[in-house]
Structure formats: C-alpha cells, structure tokens
Amino acid sequence: MTVETSQPAAQSGTFRIGGDLPVHRLGYGAMQITGPGIWGEPRDRDEAVRVLRRAVELGVTFIDTADSYGPFVSEQIIREALHPYADDVVIATKGGLTRSGPGDWRPVGRPEYLRQQAELSLRHLGVERIDLYQLHRIDPKVPLEESLGELELLQQEGKIRHIGLSEVSVEQIEQARAVVDVVSVQNLYNLANRQSEEVLHYAEREGLGFIPWFPIATGELAAPGGPLDAASKEHGATPAQLALAWLLRRSPVMLPIPGTSRVAHLEENLKAGTIELTDEEYDTLTNAAG
C-alpha cells in the first residue's frame, strides 16, 4: 500500500539517535553531491543545492556526510544549501579516511588528525557542535582507544554530541563501547547484501541506530522476471523503492540514507517512505535474497 503525502520521508517513522535526537528514519546520504570518484566539485552544483533543499521539504531530517566526500565539498554544499539549519535537521558527518585522489580512501586514526578534521567539519558545516560524529574507519595502525579517546575529549568540550562507528564488527563495537558511548553503526547493508546481519542484530538489542550505506543495491533481484521486478510491477513502485521499503520494514533501528545528485531521483527514492509492504511481500523479498 502507498500513502500519498507531501512529506514522504516523514512517513518512514522516527528513531531517536542516542535517545535524544529524533530523526525521520528515511534520510539522505550526501556522498553523491561531489565529482566523479567522490572527488572535487559536482558537475552541477546548483542541482546539488536543490537536492538538499528538496530533501528537507520532503521531510528528511537526517543528512549523512563525511569530511572525505570531496574532500569537504559535500559539507560545504550542505552549508550553502541549508544553513542556518532547521531545528529538527540533524547533520551527521565522519572523519578518519584520507583522500589523495578520485576513488582513493585510506584510514588515518591518529588523535591529532581526527581533532583537526572535526574542527574543519565544524567550520565547513557552520555549526558549533556536530550532532553525530562517526569514526569513518578504524585505523589498524592506531589503537582504537586512542582514536576514540580524542573523540571523547571533543565530546567533553561540547564540539561533538554523539559518537558513531562505520564498517565495524560486533567485537569492534564492544571494544569501542568500553571507551565511549556509541550510539550508531554505519555498515554496508541492503536487500541483496546482508553480510552485516550480526551487527544489525546487535544494534537492535542495544538500541543503536543502524545506518545502511549503499541501501538500494538490488543485484540480480531486479533483473527482468526476478522477484523484485515482479513485486515492483504488482506494487506500482520501482525496485529501488521496494528495496528501501524492505529496509524500513526490516528493523525499527534502520536508518537508510539513499543518495543522489538529481532532484527527480531524490523524489523517487523518498516515496519509499510511503510504501507499506504486506507480510507476504516482505517475506518474498527476504527469502529471495536470503
């Protein structure tokens, strides 16, 4: 069933990050508003600005970015488009991956580097405190306690509200939680790739927000005649919309952040917030990729 609304993202439900930051569960990932290889300026900066403003108009209150997207281009465009931010808009960013060129990503978790990047993110976003700051990757060359210890200091200084992790195992989350209060995890997860299922179960048990990146990948499920193709025809929705609707149905802690650089694609994605899968449809999609 599809519910018509002027704010489809608001129909996706609400989750409180850290227990005190309510966001609509269907958010927006701002990685794609940069150039090719997530490097440099976008081909159409004006359209990127329109995408962000339209996302908020459609009920998005959770926007996820990172200092490494551009680098800094994504954060700067977010500021241009949305600053001063509406009271209910939460901007999450990440630090801990360095860039030397398009498609190149290297973890650096040295405390002084993370502090420098957090300070730059504050400036680029135009905020005095980052609502959710995520360690983009654990640096194997730096003890996790040192990386997170610096984020805890930034938190104590009032520059970070909540701390999250990205691409981690359950063991790593538990190691991190012995050092700081972790409120969210961002791992690769979608209908076709559920390798982080154990992490999702942990997040559900512990009340952590689970942010699936690459959320609308559907693989062969959307091929002509496949289960997602068939379901989309029956539902009058696109395969991507059903993949997002499946994520929202999958868990109450799920916070999908589909990204795009085009307004039309954004509007299409966010309609997923209005789709309610039947038990049969949900089970069919779950089992098809299971």
Side-chain angles (χ1 to χ4, degrees):
M1 183 177 69
T2 301
V3 180
E4 291 300 325
T5 175
S6 61
Q7 287 202 320
Q11 297 297 115
S12 64
T14 300
F15 179 81
R16 291 183 176 272
I17 297 173
D20 64 356
L21 268 181
V23 295
H24 294 146
R25 291 174 55 216
L26 187 55
Y28 174 75
M31 185 172 75
Q32 300 296 335
I33 56 169
T34 61
I38 323 303
W39 183 261
E41 286 287 323
R43 292 188 179 94
D44 188 341
R45 189 182 179 98
D46 290 342
E47 178 73 354
V49 168
R50 285 192 291 269
V51 164
L52 287 158
R53 291 176 178 168
R54 185 63 175 145
V56 173
E57 288 175 357
L58 295 173
V60 168
T61 57
F62 181 58
I63 296 173
D64 178 82
T65 186
D67 63 19
S68 54
Y69 298 164
F72 292 122
V73 173
S74 176
E75 291 182 337
Q76 291 166 347
I77 295 177
I78 288 171
R79 179 176 184 171
E80 177 184 340
L82 301 176
H83 193 276
Y85 305 105
D87 291 342
D88 62 346
V89 170
V90 172
I91 310 291
T93 194
K94 299 180 284 291
L97 279 180
T98 60
R99 307 295 305 283
S100 61
D104 187 74
W105 309 79
R106 305 182 189 197
V108 175
R110 295 193 307 275
E112 63 273 20
Y113 175 76
L114 292 175
R115 172 170 287 272
Q116 167 191 289
Q117 297 307 100
E119 295 283 2
L120 286 170
S121 288
L122 285 165
R123 188 184 310 169
H124 289 137
L125 288 169
V127 295
E128 295 183 357
R129 180 176 66 174
I130 296 167
D131 283 329
L132 175 61
Y133 194 83
Q134 303 154 92
L135 182 62
H136 209 159
R137 289 294 186 278
I138 292 175
D139 184 347
K141 298 177 182 178
V142 178
L144 181 58
E145 292 77 10
E146 292 184 15
S147 299
L148 292 176
E150 192 66 30
L151 298 189
E152 185 178 37
L153 286 175
L154 286 161
Q155 191 176 45
Q156 291 170 356
E157 293 165 16
K159 296 175 180 178
I160 291 174
R161 184 168 182 169
H162 290 302
I163 296 171
L165 304 172
S166 179
E167 275 308 300
V168 287
S169 66
V170 170
E171 182 181 3
Q172 288 170 326
I173 300 170
E174 291 183 329
Q175 182 184 356
R177 292 180 77 192
V179 182
V180 296
D181 182 22
V182 174
V183 303
S184 67
V185 179
Q186 184 167 164
N187 276 23
L188 172 63
Y189 188 89
N190 52 57
L191 179 60
N193 184 337
R194 300 181 220 163
Q195 63 187 27
S196 290
E197 196 76 40
E198 185 181 359
V199 173
L200 174 57
H201 286 309
Y202 181 90
E204 287 176 321
R205 288 197 308 271
E206 300 298 319
L208 308 181
F210 185 91
I211 307 166
W213 61 270
F214 208 27
I216 55 178
T218 54
E220 296 179 358
L221 298 177
L228 199 51
D229 177 56
S232 66
K233 289 174 181 174
E234 290 178 14
H235 221 290
T238 67
Q241 287 170 343
L242 289 188
L244 288 168
W246 180 86
L247 285 172
L248 291 167
R249 169 74 184 267
R250 170 63 187 83
S251 172
V253 305
M254 191 82 74
L255 305 173
I257 48 167
T260 179
S261 59
R262 295 184 295 111
V263 170
H265 192 207
L266 170 82
E267 293 174 344
E268 179 182 290
N269 285 342
L270 293 183
K271 285 181 181 176
T274 70
I275 296 173
E276 296 178 14
L277 298 177
T278 65
D279 292 344
E280 183 180 1
E281 288 169 334
Y282 174 77
D283 290 342
T284 297
L285 293 177
T286 301
N287 296 331

